[in-house]
Amino acid sequence: MAQATVSFAVLGSLEVRVGERRLRLGGSVLPRVLTTLLLSPGQMLPVARLVEAVWGENPPSTAAHQVRKAIGDLRQRIPGGSAVIVTDGPGYRADIPPGELDISLFSLRLQRAREALGARMTAEAAEQLRTALDLWRGPAPDAESSGPLIAAGYAVLEERRLAAVGQLVDLRLDLGEHQELVGDLMELVAKHPLRESFRGQLMLALYRSGRQAEALGEYTALREILVEELGVDPGRQLGSLYEAMLHGRPELQAAPRTAGHEKPSGPEPVAPDEYTAPCTLPHDLTGYAGRERELELLLGTADDTRRLRIVAVDGMGGSGKTSLVVRAAHRLADAYPDGRLHTDLRGFSPSQEPRDPGIVIAALLRTLGVPDERIPEDLDGRVALWRSTLSGRRVLLVLDNAADAAQVRPLLPASAGCLVLITSRSRMSELDGSESVSLDVLPPADSLALLRAALGEERARTESAEMERLAELCGHLPLALCVAAARLRSRARWTVRYLVDRLADESRRLDELRSGDRSVEATLRLSYQAMGVEHRTMLRLLAIHPGTDFDVPAAAALLGLERADAEDVLEQFLDVHLLEQYEMDRYAFHDLVRRFARRLPTEGDETAAFARLLDHGLAVTDEACRVLFPSRGADPLRGSPSAAPPAVMTPKQAAAVFDREHSTLLALVRQAVAEEGFDEQAVPLARNLVFYLDMRSYLPQYEKTAALAATAARRLNNLPALRNCLNNLSVAQWKAGRFTEGIATVAEALAIAEELDDRRDMAVSLNSLGLLNSSLGRLAAAEECLERAVELFQGSGAGRQEGYAHSNLSSVYSYLGRHQDAAAAAERAVQLSCRYGAESEGVTALTDLAIAQLSLNETAQAHATISRALSLGDERRTPEDLALAFAVASDIHQRLGDHRRSTDCAERSLELIRSEGTAIRRPAVENILGNVHGRRGSHYRALALHRDAYRHAQVIGFRVEAAHALRGLATAEAALGDAEAARVHREQADELCTRMGIPFDRYAA
C-alpha cells in the first residue's frame, strides 16, 4: 500500500494532512514550533528563535528542552518526520519539497507570473496569480493566538498576498475586466480603507465602466478619511488619476480585450545553420530520480555566458556524481551549440592509472576535427592549441572521474561561454575559480523515488515499508540502491522483504550489494587502493571506533598521533569522502564504508589502538565525573591514568560530554568485555558511565552497563571492584522494579563487604537491601537494614550516602505511620545533602520531608519544602524524582485552594513520569494524583489513575503502592455508587496492609 502524501499549509492557519486525513497536533508548543519552521522553509532556525516563537520574551527555564522534545514529537507524528524536520548545526530546518508546502507553491506561482509578464503573456500571468492567491485558506492568525514572532512572519506574508492581489487587479484591468472587478475592489477598499493603490484601482474600474461620478466620489471619500484621521491628503499618484478623470483623458480608457495568451513581440527565431557540433555525452539514464536541488544548481550555470564556468561535483564512490552531471549536461546541451564533450579521466578505475592530461587533450582535439599532424607532441603545445581551438566557442566539457586538481588544470578552456563539469571523489578545493557541489547520500524521499523508478509503482504500493527499510540498509547510497534494485529485477521471485532480510546480516551486507560487474565493495576498494600504505592502516584503525561518529581526540588516541596530526589525517579522508562531517570537529563513516574498512585484513595493531581508545575514554569520563559527582568514592581499580587528562571541564561541558558520548561509551564497554583482555579498563569506564546513566534515568543502558562491569570484575577476581559493580546493578534492578533479582544481587555484594570487613560498603549494600525490601512490603526487614546502614555510615566520611539511607528510612517510617520519625529522618537527609555539596540531589529528601509534613497536617511547611524541592529539580537529572515532587506539589496546592497550580503540577508530573519515568516511581505518582482528582470530584479520572497505579505496582510487586491503589479504587467506586466493587477493593487493601504491618494513610506512601 502506497504511503499517503504529507502536505503542509500555513497560508491562513497551520494544517498538516496525511492524504485526506488532517493531522491533529494539540497544545500550543508543537503547532508554534512547526509553524515557525514552515514560515522559513529551507532555513536553519536556532533553538533560541523557536523558543521566542513559542513563549515570546518570557520563556520557562526548560524552554530549550521543551522545543527539542517538540521536535522529537513532530518527527514521530509526521510520517517521514525525520526527513521533514532536520537537525542543522545549532538548530533545525524544514526540508519539504515545494509541491508539499503551500508557502513554497505561493512563491513559485508568483515567480511564474513574473516570468509570464516578462514574456508579455498577460493572461497567463493573471492565471498564475489567481492560482497563487487560491492557496490562501483564510486570514492569518493574530498575535494573541500565535505569538508576536509568528504574527510578524504572517504580516510579511500578508503584504505579499496584498501585493499579489494588487498585481492581479492591474492585469485584469489591462485585460478589460473592469466591470467584473468593481465588486471585488469595493470589498478590498472596505477592508483596507487607507490603501491608496486599491482605491485607485476601484476608481479606474468605475471610470471604465461608465461610472465617472462614483469614481470621483471614491477619491473624495478617501481624502476625507485621510484628513480626519491622519491630517494628510491623498498621494500624488492618486491625485494625478483624479485630475485625469476630471479632464476625461483618453489614456484612461481600456485597451481592446484580447483572447487567449499574448505572444511576445519581436523577431521570429533564426533557423540554425548546418554546422553539427560533436556530442560524446553518455546516454542519459531513464530511471534517474532525486538530486533535484543539485540538478537545479548545475542547470543554473548556463545563465552567465560572459565567463568560463567550472563546477566540480565531488562525493564518495557510488554517490551518483556521473549520473547527475550527465543528466545536467543533456539538459544544458542546447545552450552549448559548439560541442558537448565527455571524457573519463580514470582517476579511480580498476587496474588503470589516471589518464595523462596530454593524451586526453589530444583525444579531445581529434573529436573537434583537428588532424593528428596539427597536434603538438609536448603538453604545453597541446594546452595552447586546445585553448585556441575553443576560443570564441560555446562548449560544454564533462571531465569525469578526475583524480585531483593537477590532472584537471591543463584541460580547462580559457574562453568565456564554456562550461566545465567535473566529477571526482576528491574535493577540488585547489582549483581556482571553480564552484563546488558536494554530494551526500540521498535524502530518504529521493532514495524511495529511485527505487520506485527502478522497481515500478506497483511494487512501491505493495511493499512500501520494506522499500523504506531497503533504502536504510543501503545507506541511501545511489550505487547500493541501484545494485539492490537490479538484483530484485533479475530475480522475479524475490520480494523486497526477502532482500531486506539478507541485507540485515551485517557480516554479508557488502557481499549482497553486488550485481554483475557492479559492486559497492569494489567501488570503495578503488578509493582505498588510491591511498598510501600509511593511510590505509589509519582508515582501518579508525573503523575500530564503535560510535556513529567521533571527535579529533578519540581519533588521535586510535591512531597514536598528536591531535593536530590526527586532524590532518581526518581532513584528508574527508576530502576523498571516506569520512563524512555533519558538524564541526565531528567525523563519521558512512555505514557501508565502515563495514568495508572492518573487513580489511588485520595487521596486529588493532589491540593496541583499542586499548588507547579505552584509556582516552577513561581520561575524559574521569574528568567529567570529577565535576559532576565530586563526592563519589574512590575506584578500587584505578591506578595512575594511562592517557593524558583532558582540559578542565565546567559542569555544563561535563554533562555535554556524556550526553553526546554515552551510547559510544556503552559500545566501548560492551566491546571491551566481549573481546576480553581489557577488563581492567572496562570496569572503571563502566563505573564512570553508570553514574551518568543513573543521573539521566537511562535505565536499560544503566542496567546493561552495570551487568557488563560485573562480568569483567568477576573475571578479574577483584572483590572490591565486584562489590561496587553489584551494588550499582542492584540499584538499576530496583529502579526497573525487579526487586527479587535486586535482593539476590545486593546480598552477594553485602557478603563480599562483610568478608572484606568494609563498614562503608556494608552500609551501601544494606541501604540498597532495605530499599528493595521496603518495595516488596517487607517493612520490618527494611527498617532493620536501613537503621543498621545509618549506624555504619556514621563516622565513615560517606555523608552523601548516609543522606540516601536517611531518605529511604523516612519512606519506611511513613509507610509504618511513624510520621514524626519520618520527618526527622528526612530532615537529616536534607542536612547531609547540603553539607556534602549535593543539594541539587536533595529533591527526593525534600519530597519525603513534604510527605511527612502533610501527614502531620503541617501544610504550610510542606508547601515551603516542596517549593524548595522544585526549585532544585532538573528534569535532566533523575526526572522520575521530579515527577514525584510535582505530584506532591499538586496535592499541596489543592489543599491550599490553588486549583490552577494544582492542575499545572499534576499535568507536569504525568508528562515526566510517562515520558521519562521509572517503574518504581510511576505507581506512586498515579496514586497521589488519583487522590487529588478524587478530592476534586473527578471520580472517573481518579478511578483511571488508581487502576493504572495498581496495574503498574502489580507488575513489579510493589506491594505498598498496590495497597494504596486498591484503597483509591475503593474510594472512587464508592463515590460513583458501585458499593460492591468498593467493598471488595477495600478488603483487599486492608488485607495487604495487615500483612505488611502498616496502618493505611495515603502519605504512608
mmCIF file of all heavy atoms in Angstrom, residues 500-537:
data_model
loop_
_atom_site.group_PDB
_atom_site.id
_atom_site.type_symbol
_atom_site.label_atom_id
_atom_site.label_comp_id
_atom_site.label_asym_id
_atom_site.label_seq_id
_atom_site.Cartn_x
_atom_site.Cartn_y
_atom_site.Cartn_z
ATOM 1 N N VAL A 500 15.712 -7.573 1.987
ATOM 2 C CA VAL A 500 15.941 -6.855 3.242
ATOM 3 C C VAL A 500 16.464 -7.816 4.303
ATOM 4 O O VAL A 500 17.411 -7.504 5.038
ATOM 5 C CB VAL A 500 14.644 -6.157 3.716
ATOM 6 C CG1 VAL A 500 14.736 -5.766 5.186
ATOM 7 C CG2 VAL A 500 14.361 -4.938 2.854
ATOM 8 N N ASP A 501 15.880 -8.992 4.399
ATOM 9 C CA ASP A 501 16.333 -9.980 5.381
ATOM 10 C C ASP A 501 17.774 -10.407 5.109
ATOM 11 O O ASP A 501 18.556 -10.618 6.050
ATOM 12 C CB ASP A 501 15.406 -11.194 5.373
ATOM 13 C CG ASP A 501 14.029 -10.879 5.961
ATOM 14 O OD1 ASP A 501 13.903 -9.861 6.660
ATOM 15 O OD2 ASP A 501 13.081 -11.646 5.694
ATOM 16 N N ARG A 502 18.129 -10.531 3.848
ATOM 17 C CA ARG A 502 19.507 -10.909 3.513
ATOM 18 C C ARG A 502 20.479 -9.783 3.882
ATOM 19 O O ARG A 502 21.566 -10.024 4.407
ATOM 20 C CB ARG A 502 19.619 -11.239 2.026
ATOM 21 C CG ARG A 502 18.881 -12.510 1.619
ATOM 22 C CD ARG A 502 18.905 -12.696 0.103
ATOM 23 N NE ARG A 502 20.226 -12.998 -0.405
ATOM 24 C CZ ARG A 502 20.651 -14.214 -0.790
ATOM 25 N NH1 ARG A 502 19.822 -15.245 -0.685
ATOM 26 N NH2 ARG A 502 21.863 -14.398 -1.237
ATOM 27 N N LEU A 503 20.080 -8.552 3.598
ATOM 28 C CA LEU A 503 20.942 -7.414 3.911
ATOM 29 C C LEU A 503 21.057 -7.171 5.412
ATOM 30 O O LEU A 503 22.002 -6.523 5.874
ATOM 31 C CB LEU A 503 20.415 -6.148 3.237
ATOM 32 C CG LEU A 503 20.558 -6.086 1.714
ATOM 33 C CD1 LEU A 503 19.817 -4.877 1.165
ATOM 34 C CD2 LEU A 503 22.027 -6.028 1.313
ATOM 35 N N ALA A 504 20.100 -7.649 6.190
ATOM 36 C CA ALA A 504 20.124 -7.434 7.637
ATOM 37 C C ALA A 504 21.300 -8.144 8.289
ATOM 38 O O ALA A 504 21.716 -7.775 9.394
ATOM 39 C CB ALA A 504 18.811 -7.906 8.260
ATOM 40 N N ASP A 505 21.860 -9.156 7.638
ATOM 41 C CA ASP A 505 23.060 -9.834 8.130
ATOM 42 C C ASP A 505 24.257 -8.923 7.854
ATOM 43 O O ASP A 505 24.740 -8.831 6.722
ATOM 44 C CB ASP A 505 23.231 -11.171 7.423
ATOM 45 C CG ASP A 505 24.442 -11.958 7.937
ATOM 46 O OD1 ASP A 505 25.235 -11.389 8.719
ATOM 47 O OD2 ASP A 505 24.594 -13.125 7.544
ATOM 48 N N GLU A 506 24.726 -8.208 8.888
ATOM 49 C CA GLU A 506 25.761 -7.199 8.693
ATOM 50 C C GLU A 506 27.040 -7.793 8.114
ATOM 51 O O GLU A 506 27.744 -7.129 7.355
ATOM 52 C CB GLU A 506 26.052 -6.492 10.012
ATOM 53 C CG GLU A 506 24.859 -5.703 10.546
ATOM 54 C CD GLU A 506 25.174 -4.987 11.836
ATOM 55 O OE1 GLU A 506 26.333 -5.099 12.299
ATOM 56 O OE2 GLU A 506 24.289 -4.303 12.374
ATOM 57 N N SER A 507 27.340 -9.012 8.475
ATOM 58 C CA SER A 507 28.588 -9.614 8.003
ATOM 59 C C SER A 507 28.565 -9.885 6.501
ATOM 60 O O SER A 507 29.617 -10.039 5.880
ATOM 61 C CB SER A 507 28.860 -10.911 8.764
ATOM 62 O OG SER A 507 27.844 -11.880 8.463
ATOM 63 N N ARG A 508 27.372 -9.938 5.895
ATOM 64 C CA ARG A 508 27.269 -10.254 4.470
ATOM 65 C C ARG A 508 26.683 -9.105 3.645
ATOM 66 O O ARG A 508 26.450 -9.276 2.455
ATOM 67 C CB ARG A 508 26.386 -11.498 4.275
ATOM 68 C CG ARG A 508 27.021 -12.797 4.713
ATOM 69 C CD ARG A 508 26.235 -13.985 4.191
ATOM 70 N NE ARG A 508 25.884 -13.885 2.790
ATOM 71 C CZ ARG A 508 26.715 -14.157 1.779
ATOM 72 N NH1 ARG A 508 27.958 -14.521 2.036
ATOM 73 N NH2 ARG A 508 26.306 -14.051 0.533
ATOM 74 N N ARG A 509 26.479 -7.957 4.271
ATOM 75 C CA ARG A 509 25.778 -6.884 3.554
ATOM 76 C C ARG A 509 26.521 -6.458 2.294
ATOM 77 O O ARG A 509 25.924 -6.307 1.230
ATOM 78 C CB ARG A 509 25.566 -5.683 4.476
ATOM 79 C CG ARG A 509 24.658 -4.616 3.866
ATOM 80 C CD ARG A 509 24.280 -3.589 4.896
ATOM 81 N NE ARG A 509 23.583 -4.203 6.018
ATOM 82 C CZ ARG A 509 23.383 -3.610 7.181
ATOM 83 N NH1 ARG A 509 23.845 -2.392 7.395
ATOM 84 N NH2 ARG A 509 22.738 -4.232 8.155
ATOM 85 N N LEU A 510 27.822 -6.271 2.394
ATOM 86 C CA LEU A 510 28.578 -5.863 1.200
ATOM 87 C C LEU A 510 28.565 -6.956 0.141
ATOM 88 O O LEU A 510 28.559 -6.663 -1.059
ATOM 89 C CB LEU A 510 30.012 -5.507 1.587
ATOM 90 C CG LEU A 510 30.185 -4.163 2.318
ATOM 91 C CD1 LEU A 510 31.612 -4.017 2.808
ATOM 92 C CD2 LEU A 510 29.814 -3.000 1.419
ATOM 93 N N ASP A 511 28.568 -8.221 0.556
ATOM 94 C CA ASP A 511 28.506 -9.323 -0.421
ATOM 95 C C ASP A 511 27.182 -9.296 -1.181
ATOM 96 O O ASP A 511 27.127 -9.623 -2.369
ATOM 97 C CB ASP A 511 28.674 -10.666 0.289
ATOM 98 C CG ASP A 511 30.035 -10.809 0.939
ATOM 99 O OD1 ASP A 511 31.012 -10.288 0.365
ATOM 100 O OD2 ASP A 511 30.113 -11.400 2.021
ATOM 101 N N GLU A 512 26.111 -8.922 -0.498
ATOM 102 C CA GLU A 512 24.797 -8.897 -1.135
ATOM 103 C C GLU A 512 24.665 -7.739 -2.111
ATOM 104 O O GLU A 512 23.876 -7.808 -3.062
ATOM 105 C CB GLU A 512 23.698 -8.781 -0.073
ATOM 106 C CG GLU A 512 23.568 -9.980 0.841
ATOM 107 C CD GLU A 512 23.063 -11.213 0.125
ATOM 108 O OE1 GLU A 512 22.460 -11.069 -0.967
ATOM 109 O OE2 GLU A 512 23.264 -12.327 0.638
ATOM 110 N N LEU A 513 25.418 -6.662 -1.880
ATOM 111 C CA LEU A 513 25.304 -5.475 -2.743
ATOM 112 C C LEU A 513 26.250 -5.602 -3.926
ATOM 113 O O LEU A 513 27.173 -4.812 -4.142
ATOM 114 C CB LEU A 513 25.578 -4.213 -1.934
ATOM 115 C CG LEU A 513 24.504 -3.883 -0.891
ATOM 116 C CD1 LEU A 513 24.929 -2.708 -0.025
ATOM 117 C CD2 LEU A 513 23.166 -3.599 -1.564
ATOM 118 N N ARG A 514 25.986 -6.634 -4.710
ATOM 119 C CA ARG A 514 26.796 -6.932 -5.891
ATOM 120 C C ARG A 514 25.866 -7.448 -6.975
ATOM 121 O O ARG A 514 25.023 -8.322 -6.746
ATOM 122 C CB ARG A 514 27.840 -7.997 -5.537
ATOM 123 C CG ARG A 514 28.807 -8.337 -6.650
ATOM 124 C CD ARG A 514 29.629 -9.566 -6.271
ATOM 125 N NE ARG A 514 30.251 -9.436 -4.956
ATOM 126 C CZ ARG A 514 31.425 -8.864 -4.748
ATOM 127 N NH1 ARG A 514 32.106 -8.386 -5.776
ATOM 128 N NH2 ARG A 514 31.921 -8.793 -3.537
ATOM 129 N N SER A 515 25.987 -6.889 -8.181
ATOM 130 C CA SER A 515 25.153 -7.329 -9.310
ATOM 131 C C SER A 515 25.959 -7.189 -10.582
ATOM 132 O O SER A 515 26.314 -6.073 -10.991
ATOM 133 C CB SER A 515 23.872 -6.488 -9.406
ATOM 134 O OG SER A 515 23.081 -6.890 -10.507
ATOM 135 N N GLY A 516 26.274 -8.322 -11.208
ATOM 136 C CA GLY A 516 27.098 -8.274 -12.411
ATOM 137 C C GLY A 516 28.458 -7.689 -12.092
ATOM 138 O O GLY A 516 29.143 -8.119 -11.161
ATOM 139 N N ASP A 517 28.873 -6.692 -12.879
ATOM 140 C CA ASP A 517 30.176 -6.071 -12.637
ATOM 141 C C ASP A 517 30.089 -4.865 -11.722
ATOM 142 O O ASP A 517 31.061 -4.133 -11.550
ATOM 143 C CB ASP A 517 30.824 -5.671 -13.970
ATOM 144 C CG ASP A 517 29.978 -4.652 -14.735
ATOM 145 O OD1 ASP A 517 28.841 -4.365 -14.304
ATOM 146 O OD2 ASP A 517 30.458 -4.148 -15.770
ATOM 147 N N ARG A 518 28.917 -4.651 -11.152
ATOM 148 C CA ARG A 518 28.756 -3.524 -10.226
ATOM 149 C C ARG A 518 28.760 -4.039 -8.797
ATOM 150 O O ARG A 518 28.059 -4.992 -8.467
ATOM 151 C CB ARG A 518 27.464 -2.766 -10.498
ATOM 152 C CG ARG A 518 27.496 -1.973 -11.780
ATOM 153 C CD ARG A 518 26.373 -0.961 -11.812
ATOM 154 N NE ARG A 518 25.053 -1.582 -11.754
ATOM 155 C CZ ARG A 518 23.924 -0.895 -11.709
ATOM 156 N NH1 ARG A 518 23.947 0.419 -11.704
ATOM 157 N NH2 ARG A 518 22.772 -1.520 -11.680
ATOM 158 N N SER A 519 29.568 -3.394 -7.951
ATOM 159 C CA SER A 519 29.699 -3.836 -6.567
ATOM 160 C C SER A 519 30.055 -2.637 -5.706
ATOM 161 O O SER A 519 30.965 -1.866 -6.046
ATOM 162 C CB SER A 519 30.785 -4.913 -6.453
ATOM 163 O OG SER A 519 31.229 -5.043 -5.127
ATOM 164 N N VAL A 520 29.362 -2.492 -4.613
ATOM 165 C CA VAL A 520 29.682 -1.409 -3.684
ATOM 166 C C VAL A 520 31.082 -1.604 -3.115
ATOM 167 O O VAL A 520 31.875 -0.658 -3.030
ATOM 168 C CB VAL A 520 28.639 -1.338 -2.549
ATOM 169 C CG1 VAL A 520 29.075 -0.351 -1.473
ATOM 170 C CG2 VAL A 520 27.278 -0.949 -3.105
ATOM 171 N N GLU A 521 31.412 -2.834 -2.745
ATOM 172 C CA GLU A 521 32.733 -3.088 -2.163
ATOM 173 C C GLU A 521 33.839 -2.762 -3.155
ATOM 174 O O GLU A 521 34.856 -2.148 -2.796
ATOM 175 C CB GLU A 521 32.848 -4.535 -1.709
ATOM 176 C CG GLU A 521 34.181 -4.832 -1.045
ATOM 177 C CD GLU A 521 34.232 -6.214 -0.406
ATOM 178 O OE1 GLU A 521 33.358 -7.036 -0.721
ATOM 179 O OE2 GLU A 521 35.133 -6.435 0.416
ATOM 180 N N ALA A 522 33.666 -3.150 -4.417
ATOM 181 C CA ALA A 522 34.691 -2.858 -5.415
ATOM 182 C C ALA A 522 34.856 -1.356 -5.614
ATOM 183 O O ALA A 522 35.974 -0.849 -5.783
ATOM 184 C CB ALA A 522 34.316 -3.519 -6.740
ATOM 185 N N THR A 523 33.759 -0.625 -5.591
ATOM 186 C CA THR A 523 33.823 0.836 -5.734
ATOM 187 C C THR A 523 34.584 1.459 -4.575
ATOM 188 O O THR A 523 35.416 2.350 -4.760
ATOM 189 C CB THR A 523 32.399 1.412 -5.812
ATOM 190 O OG1 THR A 523 31.741 0.867 -6.959
ATOM 191 C CG2 THR A 523 32.423 2.919 -5.918
ATOM 192 N N LEU A 524 34.312 1.006 -3.354
ATOM 193 C CA LEU A 524 35.021 1.536 -2.195
ATOM 194 C C LEU A 524 36.499 1.133 -2.217
ATOM 195 O O LEU A 524 37.370 1.899 -1.785
ATOM 196 C CB LEU A 524 34.361 1.036 -0.913
ATOM 197 C CG LEU A 524 32.915 1.505 -0.688
ATOM 198 C CD1 LEU A 524 32.341 0.846 0.565
ATOM 199 C CD2 LEU A 524 32.848 3.017 -0.558
ATOM 200 N N ARG A 525 36.774 -0.048 -2.729
ATOM 201 C CA ARG A 525 38.165 -0.515 -2.758
ATOM 202 C C ARG A 525 39.022 0.365 -3.655
ATOM 203 O O ARG A 525 40.223 0.552 -3.407
ATOM 204 C CB ARG A 525 38.228 -1.971 -3.220
ATOM 205 C CG ARG A 525 39.595 -2.624 -3.012
ATOM 206 C CD ARG A 525 39.529 -4.112 -3.279
ATOM 207 N NE ARG A 525 38.697 -4.793 -2.309
ATOM 208 C CZ ARG A 525 39.095 -5.139 -1.085
ATOM 209 N NH1 ARG A 525 40.332 -4.850 -0.693
ATOM 210 N NH2 ARG A 525 38.287 -5.757 -0.271
ATOM 211 N N LEU A 526 38.438 0.953 -4.692
ATOM 212 C CA LEU A 526 39.206 1.850 -5.561
ATOM 213 C C LEU A 526 39.712 3.054 -4.785
ATOM 214 O O LEU A 526 40.850 3.490 -4.960
ATOM 215 C CB LEU A 526 38.336 2.304 -6.737
ATOM 216 C CG LEU A 526 37.943 1.223 -7.743
ATOM 217 C CD1 LEU A 526 36.979 1.788 -8.766
ATOM 218 C CD2 LEU A 526 39.186 0.660 -8.427
ATOM 219 N N SER A 527 38.858 3.617 -3.924
ATOM 220 C CA SER A 527 39.299 4.743 -3.093
ATOM 221 C C SER A 527 40.387 4.302 -2.120
ATOM 222 O O SER A 527 41.366 5.019 -1.876
ATOM 223 C CB SER A 527 38.124 5.324 -2.317
ATOM 224 O OG SER A 527 37.167 5.883 -3.185
ATOM 225 N N TYR A 528 40.229 3.107 -1.574
ATOM 226 C CA TYR A 528 41.191 2.576 -0.605
ATOM 227 C C TYR A 528 42.543 2.347 -1.272
ATOM 228 O O TYR A 528 43.590 2.719 -0.732
ATOM 229 C CB TYR A 528 40.635 1.280 -0.030
ATOM 230 C CG TYR A 528 41.541 0.575 0.947
ATOM 231 C CD1 TYR A 528 41.770 1.099 2.221
ATOM 232 C CD2 TYR A 528 42.148 -0.632 0.610
ATOM 233 C CE1 TYR A 528 42.592 0.442 3.131
ATOM 234 C CE2 TYR A 528 42.970 -1.293 1.503
ATOM 235 C CZ TYR A 528 43.187 -0.757 2.760
ATOM 236 O OH TYR A 528 43.991 -1.411 3.656
ATOM 237 N N GLN A 529 42.531 1.766 -2.452
ATOM 238 C CA GLN A 529 43.788 1.449 -3.133
ATOM 239 C C GLN A 529 44.510 2.693 -3.629
ATOM 240 O O GLN A 529 45.715 2.659 -3.881
ATOM 241 C CB GLN A 529 43.514 0.487 -4.287
ATOM 242 C CG GLN A 529 43.094 -0.896 -3.815
ATOM 243 C CD GLN A 529 42.655 -1.793 -4.942
ATOM 244 O OE1 GLN A 529 42.305 -1.327 -6.034
ATOM 245 N NE2 GLN A 529 42.648 -3.098 -4.695
ATOM 246 N N ALA A 530 43.768 3.795 -3.796
ATOM 247 C CA ALA A 530 44.399 5.037 -4.251
ATOM 248 C C ALA A 530 45.219 5.699 -3.153
ATOM 249 O O ALA A 530 45.982 6.626 -3.415
ATOM 250 C CB ALA A 530 43.324 6.007 -4.755
ATOM 251 N N MET A 531 45.081 5.220 -1.898
ATOM 252 C CA MET A 531 45.809 5.812 -0.776
ATOM 253 C C MET A 531 47.152 5.117 -0.582
ATOM 254 O O MET A 531 47.368 3.998 -1.031
ATOM 255 C CB MET A 531 44.987 5.674 0.516
ATOM 256 C CG MET A 531 43.670 6.402 0.493
ATOM 257 S SD MET A 531 42.839 6.351 2.108
ATOM 258 C CE MET A 531 42.532 4.605 2.292
ATOM 259 N N GLY A 532 48.036 5.797 0.142
ATOM 260 C CA GLY A 532 49.294 5.194 0.524
ATOM 261 C C GLY A 532 49.089 4.165 1.630
ATOM 262 O O GLY A 532 48.036 4.100 2.268
ATOM 263 N N VAL A 533 50.132 3.368 1.894
ATOM 264 C CA VAL A 533 50.038 2.285 2.881
ATOM 265 C C VAL A 533 49.704 2.837 4.263
ATOM 266 O O VAL A 533 48.872 2.277 4.997
ATOM 267 C CB VAL A 533 51.360 1.488 2.922
ATOM 268 C CG1 VAL A 533 51.330 0.470 4.056
ATOM 269 C CG2 VAL A 533 51.607 0.802 1.586
ATOM 270 N N GLU A 534 50.318 3.946 4.634
ATOM 271 C CA GLU A 534 50.101 4.509 5.970
ATOM 272 C C GLU A 534 48.644 4.922 6.148
ATOM 273 O O GLU A 534 48.033 4.660 7.191
ATOM 274 C CB GLU A 534 51.024 5.708 6.179
ATOM 275 C CG GLU A 534 50.959 6.279 7.583
ATOM 276 C CD GLU A 534 51.932 7.417 7.789
ATOM 277 O OE1 GLU A 534 52.519 7.882 6.781
ATOM 278 O OE2 GLU A 534 52.107 7.841 8.938
ATOM 279 N N HIS A 535 48.076 5.547 5.143
ATOM 280 C CA HIS A 535 46.687 5.981 5.249
ATOM 281 C C HIS A 535 45.723 4.797 5.220
ATOM 282 O O HIS A 535 44.652 4.850 5.824
ATOM 283 C CB HIS A 535 46.346 6.976 4.138
ATOM 284 C CG HIS A 535 46.808 8.369 4.440
ATOM 285 N ND1 HIS A 535 48.118 8.750 4.304
ATOM 286 C CD2 HIS A 535 46.139 9.459 4.916
ATOM 287 C CE1 HIS A 535 48.252 10.019 4.658
ATOM 288 N NE2 HIS A 535 47.066 10.467 5.039
ATOM 289 N N ARG A 536 46.068 3.745 4.524
ATOM 290 C CA ARG A 536 45.228 2.542 4.558
ATOM 291 C C ARG A 536 45.153 1.996 5.991
ATOM 292 O O ARG A 536 44.080 1.609 6.465
ATOM 293 C CB ARG A 536 45.796 1.475 3.625
ATOM 294 C CG ARG A 536 45.741 1.830 2.153
ATOM 295 C CD ARG A 536 46.268 0.665 1.325
ATOM 296 N NE ARG A 536 46.498 1.066 -0.057
ATOM 297 C CZ ARG A 536 46.949 0.249 -1.010
ATOM 298 N NH1 ARG A 536 47.229 -1.019 -0.696
ATOM 299 N NH2 ARG A 536 47.131 0.684 -2.228
ATOM 300 N N THR A 537 46.303 1.955 6.669
ATOM 301 C CA THR A 537 46.323 1.476 8.056
ATOM 302 C C THR A 537 45.466 2.360 8.943
ATOM 303 O O THR A 537 44.696 1.873 9.780
ATOM 304 C CB THR A 537 47.770 1.453 8.570
ATOM 305 O OG1 THR A 537 48.543 0.559 7.763
ATOM 306 C CG2 THR A 537 47.817 1.003 10.030
#
